[in-house]
């Protein structure tokens, strides 16, 4: 199955924030976004979601940040495999990002408060925050992808 231009644009928009783009991919994406309002809106939405994430991650310690990056990378690798099977697998990371952007700042304050009340070290409540914040989104995205995969599998057989 050949990727159409919009699917490729969505894939590059996500890749841009994870592993970065080659100059050639960058030029292609810029050209597509300037001509395609739909993909341009998706790029803006993801950019805004990631900006709110950055506000939170400024306060994270490097070990927590590195762990989060590993999770994002392994999630991205997972998405890469799913994309070969499912055209709409891109919805999973988008939903995941949106969920995280909305709940991140709230949960951060919640965990900070909880850690403070229980006298935990910063590293402890920050790690709990990453697990509590990241895993539900990843699990939900994975469940969504598996559900779609199963439906696709049923249709094929
Ligand atoms: Zn497009």
């Amino acid at each position: 199955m050949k990727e159409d231009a919009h699917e490729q644009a969505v894939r590059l928009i996500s890749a841009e924030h994870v592993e970065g783009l080659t100059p050639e991919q960058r030029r292609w994406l810029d050209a597509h976004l300037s001509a395609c309002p739909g993909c341009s809106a998706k790029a803006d939405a993801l950019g805004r979601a990631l900006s709110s994430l950055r506000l939170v991650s400024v306060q994270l310690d490097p070990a927590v940040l590195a762990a989060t990056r590993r999770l994002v990378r392994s999630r991205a690798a997972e998405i890469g495999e799913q994309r070969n099977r499912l055209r709409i697998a891109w919805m999973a990371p988008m939903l995941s990002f949106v969920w995280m952007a909305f709940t991140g700042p709230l949960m951060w304050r919640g965990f900070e408060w909880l850690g403070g009340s229980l006298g935990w070290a910063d590293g402890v409540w920050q790690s709990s925050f990453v697990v509590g914040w990241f895993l539900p989104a990843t699990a939900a995205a994975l469940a969504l992808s598996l559900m779609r995969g199963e439906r696709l599998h049923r249709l094929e057989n």
Side-chain angles (χ1 to χ4, degrees):
M1 179 167 42
K2 199 178 180 310
E3 243 184 356
D4 78 14
H6 304 294
E7 288 171 45
Q8 189 181 351
V10 168
R11 186 173 59 77
L12 291 178
I13 289 164
S14 305
E16 183 181 20
H17 298 286
V18 181
E19 70 257 23
L21 299 179
T22 66
E24 191 191 343
Q25 289 173 322
R26 172 89 265 159
R27 272 193 300 278
W28 184 92
L29 183 61
D30 287 344
H32 183 84
L33 292 182
S34 66
C36 178
C39 291
S40 179
K42 281 175 196 154
D44 287 348
L46 184 61
R48 274 197 304 275
L50 289 173
S51 303
S52 358
L53 284 185
R54 259 176 232 121
L55 290 178
V56 173
S57 55
V58 164
Q59 306 168 59
L60 290 174
D61 76 31
V64 172
L65 209 56
T68 308
R69 277 206 195 96
R70 275 196 301 278
L71 284 170
V72 171
R73 280 206 197 95
S74 77
R75 179 74 194 118
E78 227 168 66
I79 292 158
E81 286 163 26
Q82 290 165 1
R83 195 178 49 235
N84 294 331
R85 293 170 50 211
L86 302 167
R87 288 180 39 176
I88 51 182
W90 65 267
M91 281 180 66
M94 296 295 263
L95 288 174
S96 188
F97 275 125
V98 169
W99 186 88
M100 289 171 75
F102 279 112
T103 60
L106 265 178
M107 284 186 66
W108 177 266
R109 270 182 237 121
F111 274 89
E112 190 174 29
W113 172 83
L114 186 70
S117 329
L118 298 176
W120 290 353
D122 281 355
V124 174
W125 69 259
Q126 285 168 356
S127 306
S128 308
F129 163 78
V130 168
V131 171
W133 179 49
F134 197 94
L135 289 189
T138 306
L142 192 66
L144 183 75
S145 302
L146 288 177
M147 264 158 37
R148 292 186 189 287
E150 201 166 272
R151 195 158 55 214
L152 195 71
H153 189 70
R154 268 204 303 275
L155 289 175
E156 280 167 351
N157 290 301

